[in-house]
Amino acid sequence: MTCSRRDFLKDAVGGTLATVMPLSAFTFLSHSEARAAVQESKVRWAFLVDTNKCVGCGLCVKACKNENEIPYDAEVTRTWVERYVVTKDGNTHIDSPMGGRDGFTSMEVDGEEIDPDNIEKAFFVPKLCNQCDNPACVQVCPVGATYQTNDGVVLVDRDWCIGCGYCIMACPYGVRFFHPVHKVADKCNFCYHRISKGMEPACVECCAFGARRIANLKDPDDPVTKIIMTERVAVLKDEYGTKPHVFYLGLDANVR
Amino acid sequence: MPNDIIVHGIEWTAKELFVYPNEYIYWSIQIVMYPYMTGLVAGAFVLSSLYHVFGLKQLKEIAQFSLVFSLALLPVAALPLLLHLQQPTRAMEPLLTPHFTSAIAAFGIVFTAYALIVLSEIWFVYRKYFVEQVHALRDKPGISNGMNRLVYQALTIGAYDVSDDAIRVDKKAARVLAAIGIPVACFLHGYAGFIFGSVKANALWMSPLMPVIFIMSAVVSGIALCMLTYIVIREWQAFRSRRHGGMLKAKEIKGAEQGVIDTAARYLLGFLVAAISLELLDLIFRGYTAMKSWDILRSVMYGKDFMNIFVLQYTLGNLVPFVLLILPGRTLKRTILALLLVLFGVFMMRWNVVIGGQAFSLSFSGYMHYEIPIIPHSLETFKEGLFGALTVISVPFILFWIINKFVPSLQREASGE
């Protein structure tokens, strides 16, 4: 077979076009787009934390540890409460001993005694998994053991997680850890076993002050959804582009 | 707390100021070893390719050795990952159900592809030798000779044709494989850099320069290790032939060694300059743009980790060996010292990336210190401690010793070229 330079160039251009053109049909779908394409859910779980109401009693942490079988004295937790004490010199003191499980009874913040007269403001901030719409943890899991359900909650498959820790590294919020008994990645899932049965998450149910509430964003009549939609809410660390779904009322600029 | 419930990371993490409750040094010494060993593999292969692809004749001797050595290093690139997994029995899952949005998912595929390239290149280079051994061992008595012959027979995979034509094809195949191998080796390692560089949650890691920095320092460390091992083996051979009265042969060995080392050192310097430039660019850029994370990064770099970064890595690991290598009148002892320092410097770079990246809390309000477990008291403190790292370092030398028994990478006559 002979092939002139002209033929070669012709075939090369034709071949390239034939390969490239169909590729242009592919597009990058976001998680939610991909999910929507498969099956649109009637539920999108979200969370509302009212920091004005939190008193730092730590009942939520206790309830969570018991409900989700996270060893009580192990220094890891699915949810925790942070205490912020801003002093008059402009410094911010933060602590969360045992995740705030036993409340905040000491005037000492991280080993430093704070003079009550010197406090400008002080408040508590509960933290939990943000069930991001664009979850970094799901993106980096090498085996697909952590995944997003079509109602927005990110779950971990304990039978498939290899324990590489990449998801723990990828989460900007530090909500993930290795379960000390199961030796796999673990994190808050809004008590998925409860919310999918019509109950509230353990931390929500036990919060005596209404600081924690769960919402279905797809239900416009949901009272908590109404608050999220109509009031001025904030999210944590939106600069990472993870689209977090835990909304905060009264979030202070000092909160990390 | 009962003994059986130990939080992963708590034994070697010391927290300071405010750190989120779940934060620990989850990626410890084994994850320092992973890019370090992968880098050595990639570097060793690139060095061997300088001869096989670009025909740098001066590097022929070290090229044969590097090729075989990179094979010995190869399993050790995966070993730290295996040791680090919380569920090591599930290590094959990334191959079974790869989740391709994850940088780690491709590891098995890239790694296997690379292993196949190295193995087949070695086969093409040494096939003639295997065939010769099969013939040479035919009439020799003894069980060990019989066993050896069996191994060589297996190694030929039934290809006994050693005519000139066949050897020419072998050479061409080796060259093509070496050429394909360079991008694959770079990919294998650049992608180790991508694993870190793409973690947006980590202020220190996230940088598009990370893969390139990793490749450059990989080549530096790979060349350095190959040169060092090569010098040690050559010196040993010269010493042995001197002892057996072969002064002339000893001199010949030393002469050949000097030439090889001079050339390899030049390439080492080039890659070293590239690696340092990129790292400094990254540092300057972070300081200049001074994003939100810069305050805490600065306090780690110029405060807590100053010793590790600027004294041990940049000065002792980069600047000193650079001067040692570039000053005229370089002796063998000085070269060895420089090479050891280069290897140490690259190790410190990996350390400062992996451990340094976890030295500060995601809250930017606290610090974590890695207290490396020295004396292990459990499997976990062994794996993620000093002895786990030493195990990983020693394996390639043991493997090389075994492989070199059948593929004599240090005999000039053995390769089919």
Side-chain angles (χ1 to χ4, degrees):
Chain A
M1 189 189 113
T2 55
C3 178
S4 72
R5 183 179 299 176
R6 189 187 187 85
D7 289 338
F8 174 75
L9 286 174
K10 252 190 192 162
D11 290 349
V13 169
T16 312
L17 282 177
T19 324
V20 171
M21 295 286 271
L23 283 179
S24 64
F26 288 94
T27 51
F28 279 104
L29 291 180
S30 75
H31 274 277
S32 44
E33 282 170 327
R35 232 176 25 244
V38 181
Q39 184 196 10
E40 188 66 67
S41 166
K42 288 195 177 68
V43 183
R44 197 333 170 172
W45 294 111
F47 209 90
L48 178 67
V49 176
D50 189 343
T51 56
N52 297 308
K53 288 180 178 165
C54 181
V55 300
C57 65
L59 263 179
C60 49
V61 182
K62 283 195 181 83
C64 173
K65 283 210 144 186
N66 287 327
E67 174 71 27
N68 294 297
E69 293 178 336
I70 309 300
Y72 198 66
D73 288 324
E75 290 187 42
V76 283
T77 177
R78 287 184 170 195
T79 183
W80 68 96
V81 181
E82 295 167 3
R83 167 167 66 172
Y84 287 76
V85 178
V86 184
T87 45
K88 290 195 169 128
D89 55 13
N91 285 331
T92 310
H93 307 264
I94 319 168
D95 73 344
S96 183
M98 288 307 283
R101 184 193 71 184
D102 305 321
F104 298 83
T105 49
S106 165
M107 284 306 289
E108 258 184 31
V109 180
D110 234 1
E112 197 185 335
E113 188 80 34
I114 309 276
D115 175 12
D117 295 331
N118 193 27
I119 296 174
E120 194 90 84
K121 59 179 170 182
F123 49 88
F124 300 99
V125 179
K127 295 265 183 87
L128 64 162
C129 175
N130 285 282
Q131 315 297 354
C132 304
D133 221 24
N134 182 23
C137 52
V138 171
Q139 183 186 29
V140 302
C141 178
V143 296
T146 190
Y147 57 98
Q148 194 177 30
T149 62
N150 55 9
D151 45 13
V153 177
V154 174
L155 301 178
V156 180
D157 183 344
R158 281 185 178 164
D159 294 331
W160 206 247
C161 170
I162 62 173
C164 66
Y166 204 12
C167 56
I168 302 179
M169 289 294 142
C171 174
Y173 307 97
V175 302
R176 284 175 169 256
F177 56 91
F178 278 128
H179 193 290
V181 176
H182 302 290
K183 307 280 181 204
V184 290
D186 201 285
K187 70 167 196 62
C188 159
N189 54 23
F190 285 178
C191 283
Y192 199 65
H193 57 294
R194 292 171 63 92
I195 53 174
S196 49
K197 294 250 163 64
M199 290 188 280
E200 287 184 321
C203 60
V204 173
E205 190 165 275
C206 78
C207 182
F209 304 93
R212 291 172 171 256
R213 298 164 84 179
I214 185 111
N216 173 11
L217 284 188
K218 294 220 173 129
D219 177 5
D221 297 326
D222 185 322
V224 186
T225 300
K226 276 183 183 158
I227 300 175
I228 294 171
M229 292 307 173
T230 56
E231 300 212 13
R232 293 158 204 195
V233 290
V235 291
L236 295 169
K237 301 187 185 184
D238 71 331
E239 67 270 24
Y240 290 104
T242 50
K243 300 186 183 128
H245 271 61
V246 172
F247 298 92
Y248 285 85
L249 280 167
L251 196 67
D252 189 86
N254 284 297
V255 174
R256 306 302 170 93
Chain B
M1 205 192 305
N3 272 337
D4 49 325
I5 298 178
I6 292 176
V7 172
H8 181 79
I10 205 167
E11 291 174 295
W12 52 81
T13 308
K15 295 185 177 183
E16 186 189 338
L17 298 174
F18 179 65
V19 176
Y20 292 135
N22 297 328
E23 276 187 284
Y24 295 98
I25 309 268
Y26 285 105
W27 282 4
S28 66
I29 186 74
Q30 290 299 348
I31 303 298
V32 178
M33 297 308 295
Y34 159 61
Y36 191 57
M37 299 317 279
T38 322
L40 293 175
V41 176
F45 190 83
V46 168
L47 182 60
S48 85
S49 297
L50 284 176
Y51 164 73
H52 286 289
V53 184
F54 302 112
L56 296 166
K57 289 274 189 289
Q58 312 94 303
L59 290 175
K60 174 173 177 181
E61 290 221 10
I62 201 168
Q64 310 293 3
F65 161 72
S66 313
L67 180 62
V68 177
F69 198 53
S70 83
L71 177 66
L73 282 163
L74 196 62
V76 190
L79 185 64
L81 289 181
L82 189 65
L83 285 175
H84 146 84
L85 287 189
Q86 288 285 290
Q87 299 284 352
T89 53
R90 299 178 187 171
M92 291 314 282
E93 282 180 21
L95 282 171
L96 299 174
T97 57
H99 183 238
F100 281 117
T101 59
S102 168
I104 294 182
F107 176 80
I109 294 162
V110 179
F111 182 79
T112 315
Y114 181 67
L116 289 175
I117 288 174
V118 174
L119 276 171
S120 40
E121 188 183 337
I122 290 180
W123 188 76
F124 280 118
V125 171
Y126 286 98
R127 193 180 66 84
K128 188 172 157 219
Y129 174 79
F130 297 153
V131 175
E132 285 166 1
Q133 290 304 305
V134 171
H135 293 314
L137 290 169
R138 176 171 292 154
D139 303 320
K140 287 194 183 162
I143 294 177
S144 73
N145 279 333
M147 296 283 276
N148 273 344
R149 185 160 182 268
L150 220 58
V151 172
Y152 281 117
Q153 270 179 325
L155 285 173
T156 60
I157 331 179
Y160 287 98
D161 183 1
V162 284
S163 63
D164 285 350
D165 277 350
I167 295 300
R168 209 173 304 124
V169 173
D170 278 5
K171 277 188 191 170
K172 194 174 176 194
R175 197 165 59 244
V176 170
L177 282 167
I180 302 171
I182 296 176
V184 177
C186 288
F187 189 80
L188 177 73
H189 195 68
Y191 134 91
F194 187 85
I195 289 178
F196 293 98
S198 64
V199 176
K200 61 185 171 188
N202 193 303
L204 184 75
W205 292 347
M206 196 184 131
S207 161
L209 282 182
M210 201 61 106
V212 197
I213 292 176
F214 265 53
I215 290 174
M216 291 306 161
S217 52
V219 178
V220 169
S221 63
I223 294 180
L225 184 66
C226 285
M227 284 171 71
L228 193 64
T229 320
Y230 179 78
I231 290 176
V232 170
I233 293 171
R234 278 291 180 232
E235 285 299 303
W236 169 247
Q237 288 177 337
F239 172 74
R240 255 201 333 206
S241 55
R242 253 202 311 278
R243 233 181 37 175
H244 295 129
M247 266 326 247
L248 199 71
K249 193 163 179 228
K251 242 187 199 150
E252 186 191 321
I253 290 173
K254 299 274 277 187
E257 177 189 336
Q258 196 61 44
V260 167
I261 294 304
D262 284 345
T263 315
R266 271 203 295 280
Y267 284 95
L268 177 70
L269 278 172
F271 282 106
L272 189 61
V273 169
I276 301 172
S277 312
L278 286 167
E279 279 172 57
L280 287 180
L281 172 63
D282 191 59
L283 184 64
I284 292 167
F285 197 78
R286 283 171 197 278
Y288 190 81
T289 52
M291 304 285 278
K292 189 176 169 187
S293 56
W294 176 241
D295 278 338
I296 190 110
L297 282 184
R298 190 177 49 191
S299 70
V300 168
M301 287 183 190
Y302 295 108
K304 295 184 181 307
D305 282 359
F306 185 83
M307 182 74 185
N308 281 349
I309 295 177
F310 289 99
V311 179
L312 295 181
Q313 182 189 331
Y314 285 122
T315 308
L316 203 59
N318 290 347
L319 190 65
V320 173
F322 184 79
V323 173
L324 284 178
L325 285 175
I326 211 160
L327 280 183
R330 179 164 45 78
T331 60
L332 202 59
K333 281 200 187 93
R334 212 169 83 194
T335 312
I336 292 177
L337 177 68
L339 293 175
L340 285 171
L341 286 175
V342 163
L343 283 171
F344 173 73
V346 174
F347 178 80
M348 281 318 291
M349 181 258 171
R350 308 291 192 236
W351 178 282
N352 290 330
V353 167
V354 176
I355 305 293
Q358 298 167 86
F360 54 93
S361 164
L362 292 170
S363 69
F364 296 160
S365 304
Y367 304 96
M368 290 190 287
H369 307 279
Y370 176 50
E371 293 165 348
I372 180 167
I374 308 281
I375 310 291
H377 57 81
S378 62
L379 186 61
E380 194 143 283
T381 45
F382 166 76
K383 288 196 305 182
E384 314 247 358
L386 180 67
F387 285 95
L390 290 179
T391 309
V392 170
I393 289 186
S394 54
V395 171
F397 296 98
I398 299 168
L399 281 178
F400 177 71
W401 179 73
I402 297 169
I403 297 173
N404 201 50
K405 287 211 174 301
F406 295 100
V407 186
S409 61
L410 291 153
Q411 283 177 21
R412 256 171 269 172
E413 306 78 28
S415 70
E417 324 222 350

